[in-house]
Amino acid sequence: MSQSANVIEMKDIVKTFGEVVASNHVNFEVKKGEIHALLGENGAGKSTIMSMLSGIYRADSGDIYINGKLSRIRSPKESMELGIGMVHQNFRLVDTLTAVENIILGEKSNKWRGSSWMKKKIEEIEELADKYGLTFPTKVPIWQLSVGEQQRVEIVKTLYRGAEIIIFDEPTSVLTPGEVEQLFLTMQELKRNGKTMIITTHKLKEVMTIADQISVMRKGTMIAQMSKEEATIQSLANLMVGQNMADEGFSIKVIEKGKPILDVQNLVVRTKLRINAIDRINFSVHEYEIVGVAGVAGNGQKELAEVLTGLMQLYSGQIVFNNEKLTAPSVQQLIDKGIAHIPENRMKSGLAGSLGIIDNLMMKTYRSNARAKFGLMKKKENMEWAANLIKKFDVRTPDMVSPVAQLSGGNQQKLLFAREIDINPKLMIAVHPTQGLDVGAAKAVHEMLVQLRDSGSGVLLISEDLEEVMQLSDKILVLYNGKINGVIDRGQANREVIGQLMAGLNYKEGAFYEPEIVV
Amino acid sequence: MSQKSSFEPLPVELKQDNKKLGNVPFRLEYDAHKKGGSWWVPIISIIVALMICAVFILFNGMNPITVYGKMLAGAFGSSFGISETIVKAIPLLLCGLGVAIAYKIAIWNIGAEGQFILGAIGATAVTIFLPNLPGALYIPVMMVVGFAAGAIWGLCTAIPRTYFQVNELISSLMLNYIALLLLDYLVYGPWRDPQGFNFPGTQEFTPYQLLASLGGTRLHFGLIFALAAVILFAFFLAKTRWGYELRLLGANPVAAKNAGINITKHILIVMMISGGLAGFAGAIEVSGVAGRLMYGISPGYGYTAIIVAWLAKLNPWGMIITSVFIGSLIVGGYSVQTIGLPSSFSNMLQGAILFCLIGGEMLSKFKLKKVD
């Protein structure tokens, strides 16, 4: 055991989910009274580490020391007993109960819970909340509270249960800028009272604002720990996205782009929480062009893809597709107009895992007369058509009827591409098309995208894999906070520049400057 | 459908547990995509259920083999038994088809009972409010009105489900009680036969309002309707564009939405058909078996149909077999009364079968894997 000042010490933690190593021999230390930021992209393994501290997962191997004592955290309850509280990204609150009822939920007490008892509890909780400047209505149901207020309830809940260490999982992702500011003031207040805090995030600016100590994770590995004084936004951005990997020798010839196929003007997309997920962006995609969209997850990529495929409607601005203004189009209309879509998670939203090859291939074209006549599916023709498609796209499958969930990830993705390319798309929207694929399958996907471009389609490639975006794109848009934070042409792209644009740094006249920081 | 149902089951972390089973070099692995159980799961469930219930028979001091033999003889041992069994199978089959189509798109309609009753009420309303219809028109009009009444009852579940995310399990169940009480009100109140010696039922139907019987037995024309419904069901689901949409919707609603399928519209249509089929069964029951609307017109056909549908794994052809099987349990249940077991024994057996079936479906998704 090392210094006693470490309230949390995780040693050599390994956790695997099936084949995926979510946490690869991770060491993680947190000192008492500090605000420790755990930084990393989505899927870097931050949440896994935090879930082990809060008793949701158990490590396959490795030790956790809390306050210098070897501890086995087997359940959220045990974690709570050790003084660890977690403020989840998606709040764990009962919508129909009041804040106070939520906070005392699960508390063991034999006492008669009359109105005087309740009154005492309300006073007790209000006092606790006041101490840290956390205000929220205590007597109305949770669903009537704003997101910021709900988060404050979560914080008070952990404090009420005696938390000395509070974990904030992506706390700012749901908040408005004003609420973020307030949260940071609260965190500083908690720090003054001797609480230790861990905040997981991928927002560098926030890390530099609030954290004392910073740990960076990438792909399940802890790659750096440093104090804020040692860190700069640039260095953190580079650590987070990683260095250039060896080039896989994939070459792409530059071709002349054609006429514009998609033109987006002043587009605003609002989420249900009335946050502008896409905030006044302008860009266009041409024929014979691949436009890459880079950015850390959660900066508007999902909403951009959804609005362009009809799954979400725009709030303001306009989308012009093929010289035609689109107003509130349905998914089907966009398919008919020639927009293909490779969704983010192929098994979740692209394919029907329990159905066979033919049913999955028909998803976009089953309405056409080639597939059905008088409402009757043409069984024989469809079978031949599907057989041709899987041959053309080299999908390896035992037969045409066994569930596609049994295919390998690469073959599933080829199947998805076969379906989408078969509609002869004018525009292809590919979201994380190589996620979870091995090198060979990823290469096949890249080749399909380039072929599509060379045959005259426009491609909008939304990806977190910078390598992929840089290799394939003729033009790269960097999304940050729903805005386009930079446009880079092929050839001028390098990892460092993109990484810093992704981190929210502005780039003007050849130099980066830091935008002013809140608080 | 855009929002997830508030009744989503809690996430179970089954895949995480890669622990060895003691010192055995195997581990259990849960595979959600594994094609859940094949034809043998229903068969094994029935056998296990028979064995569980055998224990209760033994507690009653009887020999299970004698009791099961008695049931079998009661249901299939005579031409009367067989025709009774099939008479019971007809409403079960129609209601089973009804719930099955909803289950195909993961809408958990358990309101077939109420939809059945509404169908019976609708068909009877025709006889009461249109007393001067030309004779030959009665049966078609009664069937159509019965179907429509069930369909409207189905919509009462579907509309809140699609527009306000009201859980359909609860609303369809609650509507059953409303339907049941509506029936009681009618047969004890305004529709009671004044010459009926206080019997809670309407006036008996005229011959034109009765379904033709088949070959002089209690078997009636409803059998033909039910079999026709099976053929149509199988045809629409397997061969048509609409059937494809339902298949897709059932397999992955998110992907279906990405493919531009209007989920709301489909839920409304499917629930109308689902309720309609149960209503159709109700209309057939009043005009083919009871000959009037009366108290307790359904001995729980709408609930039992859920077992019929799941035993057949929602396959329409399989439901022909399972409806006859469950029908035989009901009829066989009557005959065990003669040797001193309560007839509710048959209900217990049905419950045990459903219980084992659901458990078996779940267990069949586990794989035994060798630990490397």
Side-chain angles (χ1 to χ4, degrees), chain A residues 311 349 351 359 366 375 377, chain B residues 16 239 241 244-245 252 258:
Chain A
L311 293 166
S349 46
L351 298 170
D359 282 348
Y366 73 93
M377 304 310 295
Chain B
Q16 311 296 334
K239 306 277 184 206
R241 196 182 281 175
Y244 171 74
E245 288 178 329
N252 187 346
N258 276 333

Side-chain angles (χ1 to χ4, degrees), chain A residues 389-406:
Chain A
L389 266 184
I390 66 168
K391 207 167 126 198
K392 190 170 148 201
F393 284 87
D394 191 29
V395 183
R396 310 269 165 82
T397 165
D399 56 56
M400 306 291 280
V401 289
S402 53
V404 297
Q406 290 169 358

Side-chain angles (χ1 to χ4, degrees), chain B residues 312-363:
Chain B
K313 301 177 75 74
L314 310 185
N315 179 313
W317 305 109
M319 270 182 260
I320 298 180
I321 298 170
T322 57
S323 62
V324 170
F325 171 69
I326 299 288
S328 74
L329 286 187
I330 298 173
V331 175
Y334 298 147
S335 54
V336 295
Q337 281 175 289
T338 58
I339 54 168
L341 270 181
S343 70
S344 54
F345 176 70
S346 138
N347 293 340
M348 185 177 106
L349 196 47
Q350 288 167 28
I353 290 171
L354 185 62
F355 187 80
C356 295
L357 186 69
I358 292 169
E361 280 293 322
M362 182 75 195
L363 290 178

Side-chain angles (χ1 to χ4, degrees), chain A residues 4-286:
Chain A
S4 56
N6 280 347
V7 283
I8 293 178
E9 221 177 308
M10 298 177 85
K11 283 194 173 163
D12 212 25
I13 301 288
V14 178
K15 175 76 186 170
T16 56
F17 294 102
E19 315 281 288
V20 183
V21 183
S23 158
N24 189 5
H25 300 281
V26 166
N27 293 305
F28 182 57
E29 287 111 37
V30 179
K31 287 195 176 62
K32 186 162 173 51
E34 69 181 11
I35 298 179
H36 194 120
L38 183 55
L39 186 67
E41 287 189 289
N42 274 33
K46 301 169 297 198
S47 296
T48 313
I49 292 285
M50 291 306 114
S51 298
M52 280 185 249
L53 280 180
S54 60
I56 298 168
Y57 295 149
R58 263 185 278 170
D60 296 346
S61 70
D63 295 323
I64 301 175
Y65 297 88
I66 307 291
N67 296 321
K69 242 175 67 194
L70 181 61
S71 308
R72 300 216 180 282
I73 307 172
R74 278 169 300 213
S75 69
K77 189 165 158 264
E78 291 186 8
S79 163
M80 213 191 304
E81 281 161 4
L82 288 165
I84 301 172
M86 186 152 174
V87 176
H88 292 271
Q89 189 177 4
N90 307 307
F91 306 138
R92 306 285 205 270
L93 296 170
V94 183
D95 273 349
T96 48
L97 297 185
T98 67
V100 169
E101 284 165 343
N102 264 289
I103 290 166
I104 61 176
L105 196 66
E107 187 186 353
K108 286 209 175 76
S109 157
N110 297 326
K111 282 180 208 138
W112 166 250
R113 298 194 168 191
S115 55
S116 64
W117 179 83
M118 197 64 190
K119 220 170 133 193
K120 220 179 80 205
K121 283 288 159 189
I122 293 174
E123 270 167 25
E124 191 183 325
I125 285 163
E126 276 174 347
E127 200 177 305
L128 182 66
D130 274 352
K131 186 175 161 195
Y132 298 100
L134 293 157
T135 51
F136 51 80
T138 47
K139 286 168 198 147
V140 296
I142 285 292
W143 60 268
Q144 295 181 359
L145 270 55
S146 74
V147 177
E149 286 169 335
Q150 292 187 15
Q151 191 173 53
R152 277 171 242 155
V153 176
E154 280 276 23
I155 297 170
V156 172
K157 192 165 87 180
T158 62
L159 292 171
Y160 180 78
R161 292 176 181 180
E164 286 300 316
I165 305 162
I166 304 174
I167 302 169
F168 291 87
D169 188 18
E170 305 272 355
T172 57
S173 59
V174 289
L175 301 181
T176 62
E179 287 172 329
V180 171
E181 202 168 319
Q182 184 126 42
L183 172 69
F184 285 175
L185 288 172
T186 305
M187 289 177 75
Q188 274 153 1
E189 184 60 38
L190 287 167
K191 187 179 149 188
R192 267 193 288 281
N193 281 279
K195 308 280 181 196
T196 310
M197 277 161 282
I198 306 171
I199 168 172
T200 73
T201 180
H202 51 238
K203 294 181 182 163
L204 298 172
K205 246 172 22 181
E206 293 172 5
V207 170
M208 294 306 284
T209 313
I210 192 73
D212 305 314
Q213 194 74 20
I214 302 163
S215 296
V216 187
M217 285 189 80
R218 191 173 69 225
K219 291 183 176 157
T221 321
M222 187 65 74
I223 51 171
Q225 285 199 328
M226 66 191 87
S227 68
K228 183 169 83 177
E229 288 70 35
E230 297 168 275
T232 62
I233 287 203
Q234 281 89 340
S235 68
L236 289 176
N238 291 344
L239 282 169
M240 193 165 89
V241 296
Q243 297 303 316
N244 274 327
M245 278 169 281
D247 205 88
E248 58 178 289
F250 184 83
S251 68
I252 174 172
K253 63 179 193 300
V254 178
I255 58 172
E256 192 73 11
K257 66 184 179 189
K259 62 180 176 33
I261 188 80
L262 174 75
D263 194 29
V264 170
Q265 288 156 15
N266 265 320
L267 178 70
V268 177
V269 182
R270 274 200 174 178
T271 64
K272 280 195 192 111
L273 298 168
R274 274 172 285 166
I275 292 169
N276 287 357
I278 289 288
D279 197 5
R280 283 164 291 158
I281 66 170
N282 295 286
F283 71 92
S284 54
V285 181
H286 297 75

Side-chain angles (χ1 to χ4, degrees), chain A residues 17 56-57 311 331 335 347-349 351 354 359 362-364 366-367 372 375-377 405, chain B residues 3 13 16 33 35 235 239-241 244-245 247-248 251-252 254-255 257-261:
Chain A
F17 294 102
I56 298 168
Y57 295 149
L311 293 166
V331 176
I335 294 169
M347 281 321 292
K348 203 174 146 216
S349 46
L351 298 170
S354 58
D359 282 348
M362 284 195 307
M363 254 184 234
K364 293 288 168 81
Y366 73 93
R367 293 182 191 87
L376 296 183
M377 304 310 295
Chain B
Q3 270 183 348
E13 236 191 275
Q16 311 296 334
H33 287 300
K35 203 114 173 131
F235 170 79
K239 306 277 184 206
T240 66
R241 196 182 281 175
Y244 171 74
E245 288 178 329
R247 205 153 62 224
L248 195 54
N252 187 346
V254 184
K257 205 173 155 201
N258 276 333
I261 290 176

Side-chain angles (χ1 to χ4, degrees), chain A residues 315-503:
Chain A
Y315 180 74
S316 68
Q318 64 172 352
I319 301 171
V320 180
F321 179 71
N322 210 10
N323 297 323
E324 186 189 346
K325 197 182 158 193
L326 301 180
T327 41
S330 72
V331 176
Q332 192 189 330
Q333 280 166 351
L334 291 179
I335 294 169
D336 294 342
K337 286 185 202 303
I339 296 185
H341 180 207
I342 303 289
E344 183 170 2
N345 182 333
R346 55 187 163 269
M347 281 321 292
K348 203 174 146 216
S349 46
L351 298 170
S354 58
L355 299 183
I357 299 267
I358 304 176
D359 282 348
N360 271 291
L361 278 175
M362 284 195 307
M363 254 184 234
K364 293 288 168 81
T365 47
Y366 73 93
R367 293 182 191 87
S368 72
N369 288 329
R371 303 277 76 80
K373 199 174 181 183
F374 309 120
L376 296 183
M377 304 310 295
K378 294 178 177 169
K379 196 174 174 191
K380 201 163 145 256
E381 283 94 328
N382 292 345
M383 188 104 101
E384 282 165 15
W385 164 80
N388 273 334
L389 266 184
I390 66 168
K391 207 167 126 198
K392 190 170 148 201
F393 284 87
D394 191 29
V395 183
R396 310 269 165 82
T397 165
D399 56 56
M400 306 291 280
V401 289
S402 53
V404 297
Q406 290 169 358
L407 299 180
S408 71
N411 278 314
Q412 286 169 356
Q413 198 69 335
K414 282 189 207 161
L415 187 69
L416 204 49
F417 269 89
R419 179 178 87 202
E420 298 298 326
I421 292 176
D422 182 58
I423 69 170
N424 292 320
K426 296 194 177 72
L427 175 68
M428 162 70 86
I429 295 165
V431 188
H432 307 321
T434 56
Q435 204 170 47
L437 298 186
D438 60 42
V439 181
K443 192 153 179 266
V445 164
H446 290 165
E447 277 163 4
M448 283 189 280
L449 285 173
V450 173
Q451 260 175 28
L452 201 59
R453 176 198 76 161
D454 293 351
S455 66
S457 305
V459 177
L460 187 68
L461 169 67
I462 300 176
S463 174
E464 276 177 64
D465 184 344
L466 259 191
E467 212 62 44
E468 172 174 283
V469 171
M470 283 167 54
Q471 265 177 3
L472 296 180
S473 311
D474 299 305
K475 185 169 84 184
I476 299 172
L477 314 174
V478 183
L479 272 186
Y480 175 74
N481 232 344
K483 294 193 176 72
I484 293 179
N485 198 31
V487 181
I488 302 161
D489 285 327
R490 176 187 291 285
Q492 279 150 15
N494 72 59
R495 257 191 117 75
E496 211 162 86
V497 172
I498 297 175
Q500 295 178 8
L501 288 170
M502 279 166 68

